[in-house]
Amino acid sequence: LFPPFQMVLQMEVVEFTPYVFQLLAQILEFRPEGAGLGEAYTSLFAPLLTPLLWERRGNVPALTRLLTAYLAKGASEIVLQLEGMLGVFQKLISSKANEAYAFDLLRGIVIYMSQEKVLPYMKQIFQILMMKLQAGKTPKYVGLVTHFFALFIGKFGSQVYMDQLNALQPGLGLMLMTQVWIPRLQQFSPTRLEAKTQVVGLTKLLCETPALLSDPNGQQIWGQALACAVKIVCSPESHLNSLSAEGNDDDVEIGYDATFSLLHFATRPSRDPFPEIADASTSLIQGVGLVSSSSPGQLTPILAQCLQDPKLRSGFDTLCQKAGVQL
């Protein structure tokens, strides 16, 4: 298939290039784990970062998916192109129409690239995210950025997240919790893969940030974060353990426009960023149990305050019973 694909790309047949990128992505996604990229895909990668390709709106969804497939199947082989990929991210995030694809790419980088390769660029990335948040706090952007916060913490840890943000502005990590992240989760419960990602990220935040419990303000934030996690776990709408392709929100948004049409049989398979965590709800409760045992009695008044809603309290108690945790 590569020769006809290459002909379409070389001749710049713009009507067909989005379909070619989708098919290239699907073929790569089905490549066996550990097989690497192969010569054809390796030689194709650098040209995919050409700015002109990303100028055409119809290319963006499929190209983003293709770059994510490259990361999933051969991140170590394209690590030298990380700056080029971050250049693409910066271009996409500047456009409201393409911000969802910018986060698709950024999540792929965080999931598949090693921490030591990604961290040197994170200060600049967080600066870009904060500037856009300051410029316009739309519900869609808040959803995307808080999803990324949870993923980042799940992969790299709570302390790294706090250190990165506080390096930009002292106290920024907690300010975002109280003004952006927690309010979003209080108003809207995420579903499927994002629901699991939020629970995993919040669990690490609750269990790896002991400084939160050192003063009343921090304790209030800790309690609110726990309440948000319990709300997600107990909500039947969250479909926490469902990872079906039908729940892949990224493809649902694409639909059809004059320049891009999603190939029906080329839908993207759902990829769990935390396959090592079989049950995020049990992990949450076990983590809270460890925090409680390390500071006996400290959590009792916090839990009483943050779980005043009878449904949340009942759900939390059921989770504790199921996980065999006594607080």
Side-chain angles (χ1 to χ4, degrees):
L1 287 174
F2 258 84
F5 286 170
Q6 286 173 323
M7 187 182 300
V8 170
L9 297 177
Q10 286 167 358
M11 294 177 66
E12 297 187 358
V13 187
V14 294
E15 294 84 0
F16 293 124
T17 50
Y19 300 110
V20 169
F21 292 140
Q22 286 181 76
L23 291 169
L24 285 170
Q26 187 175 43
I27 293 167
L28 185 53
E29 286 160 356
F30 282 106
R31 197 171 176 84
E33 295 296 330
L37 295 175
E39 187 180 338
Y41 272 102
T42 301
S43 62
L44 182 64
F45 185 76
L48 295 178
L49 303 179
T50 306
L52 182 61
L53 280 179
W54 296 87
E55 293 288 345
R56 296 175 184 139
R57 189 177 170 220
N59 287 343
V60 170
L63 270 176
T64 305
R65 175 179 172 183
L66 181 52
L67 290 195
T68 305
Y70 268 95
L71 287 162
K73 297 298 180 179
S76 62
E77 297 177 56
I78 56 172
V79 69
L80 295 178
Q81 303 278 4
L82 180 54
E83 284 194 25
M85 285 186 280
L86 290 173
V88 170
F89 158 76
Q90 195 163 353
K91 180 177 180 60
L92 294 177
I93 199 76
S94 66
S95 159
K96 195 172 181 180
N98 291 330
E99 61 190 12
Y101 304 115
F103 279 99
D104 268 358
L105 182 56
L106 187 57
R107 287 195 298 268
I109 290 169
V110 168
I111 291 169
Y112 299 113
M113 287 276 185
S114 68
Q115 182 171 334
E116 67 170 307
K117 300 298 183 185
V118 174
L119 281 189
Y121 299 98
M122 283 314 304
K123 181 178 181 181
Q124 183 185 0
I125 290 170
F126 275 119
Q127 279 178 325
I128 292 168
L129 296 180
M130 293 305 102
M131 285 169 62
K132 188 167 176 70
L133 188 64
Q134 202 170 19
K137 202 163 64 170
T138 65
K140 180 184 175 185
Y141 183 76
V142 168
L144 290 167
V145 79
T146 52
H147 183 183
F148 175 70
F149 290 163
L151 177 73
F152 184 88
I153 292 174
K155 287 294 177 183
F156 297 156
S158 173
Q159 198 56 54
V160 175
Y161 168 80
M162 288 294 182
D163 289 346
Q164 289 286 330
L165 289 172
N166 293 338
L168 296 181
Q169 178 185 324
L172 182 59
L174 290 185
M175 192 185 349
L176 286 171
M177 288 292 301
T178 57
Q179 295 182 15
V180 179
W181 194 352
I182 288 172
R184 184 251 170 162
L185 294 180
Q186 288 172 335
Q187 293 169 12
F188 173 79
S189 281
T191 60
R192 302 183 193 275
L193 280 176
E194 194 205 337
K196 180 177 180 179
T197 300
Q198 287 286 354
V199 173
V200 171
L202 289 170
T203 298
K204 284 204 168 191
L205 189 77
L206 293 165
C207 302
E208 295 180 4
T209 323
L212 270 181
L213 294 170
S214 62
D215 65 78
N217 181 52
Q219 290 172 5
Q220 184 179 13
I221 295 170
W222 193 97
Q224 290 172 338
L226 175 64
C228 288
V230 173
K231 178 189 170 191
I232 295 169
V233 168
C234 294
S235 169
E237 287 80 28
S238 70
H239 300 289
L240 191 61
N241 297 313
S242 172
L243 306 179
S244 64
E246 291 79 8
N248 192 341
D249 300 329
D250 299 325
D251 283 339
V252 171
E253 271 191 39
I254 294 169
Y256 173 84
D257 66 26
T259 55
F260 178 86
S261 182
L262 179 68
L263 291 173
H264 181 70
F265 292 105
T267 52
R268 177 169 31 177
S270 296
R271 282 183 172 271
D272 184 352
F274 302 102
E276 70 280 6
I277 300 175
D279 188 340
S281 59
T282 300
S283 179
L284 168 70
I285 298 303
Q286 288 174 341
V288 172
L290 289 173
V291 173
S292 176
S293 61
S294 66
S295 307
Q298 187 177 24
L299 291 190
T300 305
I302 300 173
L303 294 175
Q305 179 67 30
C306 74
L307 299 175
Q308 290 184 24
D309 182 327
K311 285 185 180 178
L312 279 185
R313 185 76 222 199
S314 172
F316 180 76
D317 291 342
T318 301
L319 290 169
C320 289
Q321 193 174 7
K322 177 186 164 190
V325 172
Q326 271 193 319
L327 298 178

